[in-house]
Amino acid sequence: MSDPRARIEAVFRKAGVTGYLHAADLDSGREIGLRGDEPVVLASVFKVPLLVAFHRQAAAGLLDPTEAVTLPPEERTEGPTGLSALLDEVRMSLRDLAFLMITVSDNAAADVLFARVGMDAINATIEAMGLRRTHIVANGRALHDTLLRDAGVTGLGEVWSRLDEPGVLPSLRVLDPAHTNRSTPREMVRLLSLIWRDEAAPPAECEKMRRLFGLQVWPHRLSSGFPYDDVRVSGKTGTLPTLRNEVGVVEYPDGGRYAIAVFTRSLLPMAVHPEADAAIGVTARLAVEALRQEG
């Protein structure tokens, strides 16, 4: 099987997922993709355009990233990580909230920044960068509440127990790109490319964003495909029932830089699906290898 797209498709199929992938060499412009122009659900990947809008506003003097905000527990958006999982009141700067939003995908931190930046400003930033098929329509709290309401449950843990019931999965609007935060793999690769080429914001702000993506703690998806000490992987994951995503940039010691976006939809409603997680890393590596061979 010499065609890299066929090999990528075979990996997705073996893992029991439908995969959507796009990758690009940041310097030569060479690309490879599989369903890269189809609409996908961003899940927590929506925090990437939010981060860009935040840093653009900081550069323009529209907000002070060192401004401290106080977050009582009863006002924080639910989630399994970061401030969302803490029990006591927290006081933290906006830029440290951005750190938590990217490195551990903190929903509470993201929603504070979302409110400060504003949804209209996020979408204006997206439009200014030429991302015509990327749209942000809700913050983390709204997505969480919609998921629970559509599933007819009161807690996230209950959602998984109902996914195999007839009619439940198709009713979840957060899993439908037409009704939630959405983009395409190609456009997410373009956004990463702009960040890495210092074009998404002033160079100093882009450098700050790259630092955060490089500190993401999750090693089980994109990074798993590049288990080498001299290869740097920076990324942002996204997860919802049946959906596992990651976008990021892989940098080689010889200077090669590759932006990658992988989105998957599982055929089975499994809360734990290591094969799907691993498929993201494997397909990303196959895509990068194909781009490097072309060079």
Side-chain angles (χ1 to χ4, degrees):
M1 191 182 296
S2 59
D3 180 359
R5 292 172 182 81
R7 296 175 66 194
I8 289 168
E9 182 74 287
V11 172
F12 284 138
R13 188 180 303 112
K14 184 176 180 181
V17 302
T18 301
Y20 309 79
L21 178 148
H22 195 77
D25 184 321
L26 294 184
D27 300 299
S28 73
R30 289 188 301 273
E31 299 178 315
I32 183 172
L34 182 70
R35 292 182 284 273
D37 291 312
E38 294 192 22
V40 291
V41 175
L42 288 175
S44 280
V45 176
F46 91 86
K47 295 165 185 173
V48 178
L50 169 55
L51 183 73
V52 174
F54 170 76
H55 279 278
R56 286 167 68 105
Q57 288 195 359
L62 299 177
L63 58 80
D64 177 4
T66 68
E67 175 191 344
V69 295
T70 301
L71 304 170
E74 64 273 10
E75 296 181 8
R76 297 199 292 259
T77 302
E78 291 187 36
T81 62
L83 302 179
S84 297
L86 301 184
L87 300 178
D88 299 317
E89 183 174 278
V90 175
R91 184 170 177 79
M92 185 173 289
S93 69
L94 294 177
R95 65 183 179 184
D96 283 345
L97 290 171
F99 169 87
L100 290 176
M101 175 180 75
I102 298 300
T103 59
V104 298
S105 203
D106 186 332
N107 292 335
D111 276 1
V112 173
L113 296 182
F114 194 104
R116 185 59 56 93
V117 172
M119 186 165 66
D120 289 344
I122 300 169
N123 282 309
T125 294
I126 290 169
E127 184 176 357
M129 290 185 291
L131 308 179
R132 306 303 181 196
R133 302 183 64 192
T134 301
H135 302 282
I136 305 303
V137 301
N139 65 6
R141 185 186 297 274
L143 295 175
H144 177 269
D145 292 347
T146 298
L147 176 61
L148 298 188
R149 185 165 56 252
D150 289 350
V153 299
T154 59
L156 191 58
E158 300 174 71
V159 174
W160 293 99
S161 66
R162 294 207 62 204
L163 289 184
D164 57 354
E165 295 181 17
V168 172
L169 199 57
S171 74
L172 303 182
R173 286 170 288 173
V174 298
L175 306 184
D176 182 352
H179 297 102
T180 189
N181 297 332
R182 59 192 178 273
S183 185
T184 67
R186 185 189 295 273
E187 290 206 347
M188 284 297 99
V189 163
R190 173 166 171 75
L191 179 55
L192 291 170
S193 300
L194 293 172
I195 296 170
W196 256 256
R197 291 200 298 259
D198 291 338
E199 298 172 5
E205 300 301 320
C206 287
E207 182 178 3
K208 293 172 186 175
M209 288 189 272
R210 292 193 295 268
R211 170 181 173 267
L212 297 185
F213 293 122
L215 294 173
Q216 182 189 233
V217 303
W218 314 125
H220 61 305
R221 291 183 182 167
L222 192 58
S223 293
S224 68
F226 305 89
Y228 316 112
D229 290 341
D230 58 353
V231 176
R232 178 178 177 83
V233 180
S234 306
K236 179 69 197 76
T237 60
T239 308
L240 280 170
T242 73
L243 304 181
R244 292 165 176 82
N245 313 325
E246 186 160 1
V247 304
V249 171
V250 179
E251 298 174 89
Y252 279 71
D254 62 6
R257 306 182 300 167
Y258 309 90
I260 309 163
V262 186
F263 294 80
T264 71
R265 183 180 292 268
S266 175
L267 303 179
L268 299 173
M270 300 165 59
V272 179
H273 195 172
E275 293 83 4
D277 292 325
I280 293 175
V282 173
T283 56
R285 186 183 71 248
L286 290 172
V288 169
E289 288 176 349
L291 293 174
R292 287 175 68 78
Q293 289 169 3
E294 290 178 13

